[in-house]
Amino acid sequence: MIVVLLNYVVDLAEIDALRPAHVDWLKAGLAEGRLLAAGRKVPVTGGMFLARGSLEEVQAWAATDPFALAGAAEYSFTEVAPSILAPGLEALAG
């Protein structure tokens, strides 16, 4: 699993304008089985998502995010192998 952190590098007004396309992109990733979870940072300075796939696959997929295409966010990627999970989160192990 890959943990992806986004940091916005543009004004929030630009992020808000791009958000509908970004949410559609996330929903497509969910439907494809690539996306596991996503959300905003608090305070809203960026976001995060958990994705399935190799580091290279997730990096390539993230490059198609409308935020990335517009140069609105920077991304950091960390591969993790969860070994202790709360009940109901078993899907994160695979």
Side-chain angles (χ1 to χ4, degrees), residues 54-85:
S54 70
L55 179 61
E56 294 79 15
E57 290 168 339
V58 173
Q59 287 172 328
W61 177 62
T64 68
D65 179 0
F67 286 168
L69 295 172
E74 294 176 339
Y75 297 70
S76 66
F77 301 85
T78 303
E79 187 169 1
V80 297
S83 57
I84 299 174
L85 298 163

Side-chain angles (χ1 to χ4, degrees), residues 2-91:
I2 311 298
V3 177
V4 183
L5 298 177
L6 287 72
N7 287 310
Y8 300 146
V9 295
V10 298
D11 187 74
L12 281 180
E14 187 172 343
I15 293 297
D16 289 341
L18 293 165
R19 192 175 314 281
H22 171 72
V23 169
D24 287 345
W25 176 81
L26 290 170
K27 288 179 180 178
L30 192 63
E32 294 166 5
R34 178 174 303 282
L35 181 68
L36 298 168
R40 296 180 190 162
K41 290 181 180 178
V42 178
V44 183
T45 59
M48 64 75 59
F49 60 85
L50 305 176
R52 286 189 174 114
S54 70
L55 179 61
E56 294 79 15
E57 290 168 339
V58 173
Q59 287 172 328
W61 177 62
T64 68
D65 179 0
F67 286 168
L69 295 172
E74 294 176 339
Y75 297 70
S76 66
F77 301 85
T78 303
E79 187 169 1
V80 297
S83 57
I84 299 174
L85 298 163
L89 297 179
E90 293 82 6

